[in-house]
Amino acid sequence: MKTSRIPGFYNMTVEERRQLIAKMHQLTDEEKKSLYTADSLSVETADKMIENTIGTFSLPLGLGLNFLINDKEYVVPMAIEEPSVVASASYIAKIVRSAGGFTTEATDRVMIGQIQVVGCPDTQEAKDAILNEKEVLIKSANDAYPSLVGRGGGAEDLDVRILNEDDNSQYTQMLILHIYVNTCDAMGANIINTMVESLAPTVERITKGKVYLRILSNFADRCLARATCTIPPELLKSDGFTGEEVRDGVIHAYEFAASDPYRAVTHNKGIMNGIDPVVIATGNDWRAVEAGAHAYAARNGHYGSMTTWSVDDAGNLVGELELPMSVGTVGGSIRVHPTSKIAHKILDVESAQELAQVIVAVGLAQNLGALKALATEGIQRGHMELHSRSVAMAAGASGEMIDIIAEQLIEANEIRVGKAKELMKEQKI
Ligand code: NDP
């Protein structure tokens, strides 16, 4: 049976890990070869993906373990260069699974396309005219992408807003049409852009105005995923801290982020430390997810914490994360990048909705990992110990010398490149 609980995975060699995962997830010979190849994205494929290609750029791919989400086991591929993120996510997921795991849910995958209309002779009349022709416009959008309708998705609704209504300057007053599209298992940017571009001539005819922008909105507030966890304090205790102290420290840390944008940005960066690696590993557009997530954190008029942490009547720590999650399991480069294809196979999600839920659960875990460390011993010890190998490499260490220098840096409690260079001189390297 597939499980995400793999004791000792951390201590295995890369080869042992690969063999175990290949067996557990029944990777084909081709997939194994691709995973084993240093740079599985060939330059030929890369050259078809973007412009002016001169090579490819690799990131470490790790696995977040111990994730139990809605009673299903997930081994979570994470592509990231920063040490301690994968370890922290796996550590918190282990605590949360002892408390029953994460509970998640997601809305339908409704994305928004925007059409900007300017220069209408009468903006209010133009708005009414669009609303009168709503059904025609929705049908016309769907005619531009019939395969989506065949899958049970497509344009579902439409709305119009007037921006700067009281300002008659040539550039400021505009009519903005929103079309709401269920993009099924695709992120949907190209689908929506095709639809809004196809609608433009009809919109100009109806409004007697001029259409400029026709583009998806990355503020995907109708494409939400939510994760929650409830943890008894006894599962939170750590060296020198009772579970209640840790719980209260986490809630104080959350309240700090909720009240102060200087803290909120860093707090939320920590959440994205968990989210981005899964978005990247699964071949999704992390800029889109980042933009939507931060906008959602400011939806009430001030930028605050993406998560909430509180205590319930039984004294448990309760965490929640809700974010727009415009990711897909098809489309874009998802089925083009060989490692992304393997990531999907290992993760084993059946829909974009399910993928979105896994991603917010990882974000919530990552946030708790950071807050728990910050509210107790601080993040530096664990983080810098894991960072010591990168420092040793930055100083020029290679092969087995990396671990030797890294250990000496930890012993000296001075994890700096300058110190690593000194140690290497002493080793006469
Ligand atoms: P695609 O253009 O690849 O469209 C998805 C395709 O997947 C559809 O054409 C559909 O083809 C196919 N498909 C197969 N199965 C399904 C299914 N179950 N549900 C839905 N579609 C399915 O990608 P997207 O439209 O998702 O666009 C994503 C890309 O757009 C990303 O690479 C992103 O970086 C980029 N982008 C982002 C922008 C932004 O964020 N602002 C702007 C512009 C582009 P068919 O129906 O024919 O089988």
Side-chain angles (χ1 to χ4, degrees):
M1 199 191 87
K2 272 186 211 164
T3 176
S4 64
R5 181 85 196 93
I6 313 177
F9 196 71
Y10 179 79
N11 289 320
M12 292 178 189
T13 63
V14 173
E15 189 48 40
E16 286 168 342
R17 289 182 201 135
R18 281 171 164 174
Q19 280 183 12
L20 181 68
I21 290 298
K23 198 167 162 210
M24 277 174 68
H25 295 268
Q26 289 154 19
L27 300 188
T28 63
D29 287 344
E30 196 188 334
E31 287 164 341
K32 274 193 256 179
K33 201 172 139 213
S34 172
L35 191 60
Y36 289 23
T37 313
D39 225 338
S40 66
L41 177 62
S42 71
V43 169
E44 291 72 30
T45 306
D47 193 34
K48 303 272 184 298
M49 291 169 74
I50 64 159
E51 311 72 41
N52 297 352
T53 301
I54 58 162
T56 58
F57 185 98
S58 304
L59 282 175
L61 179 71
L63 295 177
L65 299 181
N66 307 321
F67 278 90
L68 184 67
I69 304 170
N70 297 340
D71 294 325
K72 180 174 166 183
E73 298 276 355
Y74 292 92
V75 171
V76 185
M78 301 175 78
I80 183 164
E81 85 296 348
E82 187 175 339
S84 84
V85 168
V86 177
S88 172
S90 304
Y91 167 64
I92 295 297
K94 192 171 158 196
I95 293 177
V96 175
R97 78 183 281 131
S98 307
F102 294 93
T103 304
T104 61
E105 56 189 3
T107 61
D108 279 345
R109 320 233 10 106
V110 176
M111 298 289 286
I112 303 167
Q114 295 192 296
I115 301 179
Q116 178 196 34
V117 196
V118 302
C120 302
D122 184 324
T123 314
Q124 189 57 52
E125 216 171 77
K127 177 178 174 178
D128 295 342
I130 286 184
L131 292 175
N132 281 339
E133 301 270 359
K134 188 170 170 170
E135 296 310 322
V136 175
L137 286 162
I138 290 173
K139 181 177 179 312
S140 172
N142 284 327
D143 287 347
Y145 226 101
S147 58
L148 196 61
V149 181
R151 292 200 164 86
E156 293 178 343
D157 201 2
L158 177 155
D159 204 358
V160 196
R161 290 178 302 141
I162 300 172
L163 299 189
N164 308 315
E165 192 162 9
D166 299 327
D167 186 341
N168 285 323
S169 126
Q170 180 195 347
Y171 292 112
T172 45
Q173 193 177 93
M174 60 190 78
L175 199 86
I176 304 298
L177 188 152
H178 277 195
I179 184 138
Y180 302 108
V181 183
N182 182 332
T183 58
C184 299
D185 289 316
M187 180 264 198
N190 292 325
I191 293 176
I192 286 187
N193 294 346
T194 303
M195 284 184 171
V196 287
E197 288 196 5
S198 80
L199 287 182
T202 316
V203 170
E204 285 189 337
R205 180 181 55 74
I206 295 171
T207 60
K208 301 186 180 68
K210 180 162 173 48
V211 166
Y212 277 93
L213 271 60
R214 298 139 291 162
I215 177 85
L216 156 106
S217 167
N218 286 113
F219 190 32
D221 62 353
R222 294 182 178 216
C223 181
L224 300 172
R226 184 179 309 115
T228 57
C229 61
T230 301
I231 310 170
E234 58 269 22
L235 294 178
L236 293 168
K237 67 172 176 271
S238 61
D239 288 352
F241 297 89
T242 66
E244 284 75 13
E245 281 172 326
V246 175
R247 175 197 67 197
D248 293 346
V250 167
I251 297 172
H252 284 302
Y254 152 67
E255 293 291 352
F256 181 7
S259 313
D260 175 26
Y262 286 92
R263 173 59 206 147
V265 173
T266 322
H267 176 98
N268 292 340
K269 187 272 180 186
I271 294 169
M272 302 316 284
N273 268 351
I275 288 178
D276 285 343
V278 193
V279 175
I280 294 170
T282 55
N284 275 289
D285 184 336
W286 72 94
R287 289 85 56 206
V289 170
E290 279 276 348
H294 290 285
Y296 201 64
R299 68 192 180 283
N300 296 326
H302 76 278
Y303 185 84
S305 168
M306 291 174 182
T307 49
T308 60
W309 293 98
S310 58
V311 57
D312 70 9
D313 291 344
N316 300 314
L317 177 67
V318 180
E320 182 176 328
L321 174 62
E322 178 183 86
L323 283 178
M325 199 44 66
S326 56
V327 289
T329 52
V330 293
S333 65
I334 292 165
R335 303 285 161 183
V336 178
H337 195 298
T339 314
S340 146
K341 284 195 270 185
I342 297 169
H344 278 272
K345 185 154 180 185
I346 292 172
L347 191 54
D348 190 24
V349 291
E350 278 168 20
S351 65
Q353 258 186 343
E354 190 182 345
L355 173 60
Q357 292 172 67
V358 172
I359 292 172
V360 285
V362 178
L364 187 59
Q366 204 69 49
N367 186 225
L368 181 55
L371 298 190
K372 182 172 182 291
L374 285 167
T376 54
E377 64 165 352
I379 61 166
Q380 276 314 75
R381 193 187 59 79
H383 188 80
M384 292 310 278
E385 281 185 17
L386 290 166
H387 184 49
S388 60
R389 281 178 292 186
S390 298
V391 171
M393 283 189 281
S398 60
E400 57 189 26
M401 200 46 70
I402 297 170
D403 282 339
I404 294 171
I405 297 292
E407 265 170 39
Q408 291 179 354
L409 289 170
I410 294 167
E411 263 169 39
N413 198 20
E414 265 192 88
I415 300 168
R416 302 182 290 105
V417 176
K419 180 69 182 173
K421 283 185 176 160
E422 276 173 33
L423 290 168
M424 287 182 55
K425 262 193 208 145
E426 284 168 23
Q427 297 271 349
K428 297 198 176 38
I429 296 170

